[in-house]
Amino acid sequence: MKIVEVPDQTGKVAIITGYRGLAYYSARALAKANAEIILLARNVEKAKENVEILKKETNNEKISVEYMDLCKFDTIRAFAKSYLESKKPLHILMNNAGVMAIKDRQVTDDGNEVQFQTNYLGHFLLTHLLLPVLRTSAPSRIILLSSTAHMMPQASIYKNDLNLEKSYTPFKGYCQSKLACLLFAYELSRRLVGTNITVNALHPGVVDTGLWIHIIDYFPFGKTLYKWFKKFFFITAEEGAQTQIYVATSKECETETGHYYSNCKKAISFNYLSYKKQLHKELYEKSLEMVGLEKGVDYPEVSQTENKKDK
Ligand SMILES: NC(=O)c1ccc[n+]([C@@H]2O[C@H](COP(=O)([O-])OP(=O)(O)OC[C@H]3O[C@@H](n4cnc5c(N)ncnc54)[C@H](OP(=O)(O)O)[C@@H]3O)[C@@H](O)[C@H]2O)c1
């Protein structure tokens, strides 16, 4: 994969969730182009180690880390509150952090299945709480990490069992969360038409990062199998980060919104659910409720004209 040339980002502020894997290389590329970077991490000490390396590698001192655990809504609210109070602008929100295929169903303190909350609901809440600053800083860009997993046979929105209490499998949880990220990008992009805030989702490729840890542990001889697969099918984390860097910074994507990207190009989703606008809306409204945003928040209504247009 070609390494993207990042236009000068002086004056731009980017928030990236996560600090290793794709987050690390995204932060590095943006910092090299002189953006200010704030990494959001639950593991602040480890993230700080990466921040120090990033500062040395990029000669950019404007890289910092803040505590936020996507599995804890109160930490998301606390971060967003302090960020809004800081009056700092925000031009890029990269909703990147994630977990994949946790073997046994786990539930967060907020009562949600861990993959659904980490990958989707936590970012849904964070994005809404930061919308006021994304609006005042526009043009701004929201990026969501989806995956081709959103097209797998298990990938659906289990409307009556979003938290998979009735039937959980590790991949069902992951695929649903990644489809939800894509549908959120589509729905929010329609709701933000005319604001100069773009919203896009993407698949980074099959990338050699820590994300595969649960799968490696799941299969007998997982480590050996991973080594072989890695050799023939995986790209590096730096290569994998290129699509999100491209969508976050390129001139070509400046006004593009409501798209799914792969390999630094617009891509097609083969999951018919991704074309069902009514489902996007239902998931969006249910998610507002699940994260506790149903009353008195700044969430955008979709305009009637946008609703009538086909994707
Ligand atoms: N790698 C691939 O092949 C691939 C393919 C398709 C899509 N993706 C997507 O790409 C994104 C980045 O994944 P990656 O490959 O870079 O994986 P990674 O190397 O495992 O990084 C995941 C990041 O998410 C953070 N994280 C996990 N749970 C968190 C929580 N509750 N709160 C805050 N941070 C949390 C991790 O921090 P901790 O150290 O605290 O866990 C880590 O920084 C994910 O959304 C993934 O679904 C990856």
Side-chain angles (χ1 to χ4, degrees), residues 17-23 40-43 46 68-71 95-100 118-119 145-148 174 178 202-212 234 244:
T17 62
Y19 67 93
R20 55 186 169 85
L22 299 175
L40 300 186
R42 60 178 167 177
N43 198 335
K46 283 218 163 141
M68 189 212 57
D69 185 341
L70 289 159
C71 286
N95 288 319
N96 164 90
V99 283
M100 176 167 72
T118 309
N119 301 350
L145 267 284
S146 181
S147 164
T148 46
Y174 185 68
K178 290 290 144 179
L202 62 98
H203 169 62
V206 181
V207 194
D208 177 23
T209 66
L211 191 75
W212 296 87
F234 281 56
Q244 62 210 72

Side-chain angles (χ1 to χ4, degrees), residues 128-243:
H128 282 85
L129 296 175
L130 293 175
L131 268 182
V133 62
L134 287 159
R135 281 183 200 279
T136 52
S137 314
S140 48
R141 307 187 194 194
I142 300 169
I143 294 102
L144 284 124
L145 267 284
S146 181
S147 164
T148 46
H150 89 269
M151 297 189 248
M152 303 267 264
Q154 307 96 314
S156 189
I157 300 297
Y158 298 92
K159 281 198 270 186
N160 299 319
D161 188 26
L162 286 172
N163 279 314
L164 305 179
E165 285 169 68
K166 293 180 195 142
S167 95
Y168 175 83
T169 69
F171 289 104
K172 204 173 168 183
Y174 185 68
C175 295
Q176 173 175 248
S177 72
K178 290 290 144 179
L179 176 59
C181 288
L182 179 64
L183 304 196
F184 175 39
Y186 287 161
E187 180 69 19
L188 188 62
S189 69
R190 285 195 293 273
R191 288 173 184 251
L192 292 176
V193 164
T195 60
N196 237 339
I197 307 174
T198 61
V199 194
N200 291 293
L202 62 98
H203 169 62
V206 181
V207 194
D208 177 23
T209 66
L211 191 75
W212 296 87
I213 187 79
H214 299 289
I215 295 187
I216 293 172
D217 288 347
Y218 193 75
F219 291 106
F221 310 111
K223 273 195 181 139
T224 318
L225 285 172
Y226 187 75
K227 262 191 201 159
W228 276 98
F229 276 111
K230 191 171 125 173
K231 207 164 162 184
F232 297 111
F233 301 112
F234 281 56
I235 56 176
T236 64
E238 182 175 16
E239 290 171 322
Q242 296 311 305
T243 302

Side-chain angles (χ1 to χ4, degrees), residues 232-258:
F232 297 111
F233 301 112
F234 281 56
I235 56 176
T236 64
E238 182 175 16
E239 290 171 322
Q242 296 311 305
T243 302
Q244 62 210 72
I245 296 166
Y246 173 75
V247 177
T249 64
S250 72
K251 191 91 187 117
E252 295 92 312
C253 293
E254 206 167 23
T255 54
E256 295 291 350
T257 190

Side-chain angles (χ1 to χ4, degrees), residues 70-71 97-99 108 113-123:
L70 289 159
C71 286
V99 283
T108 66
E113 187 275 314
V114 161
Q115 296 184 78
F116 196 61
Q117 181 162 336
T118 309
N119 301 350
Y120 168 62
L121 281 179
H123 287 124

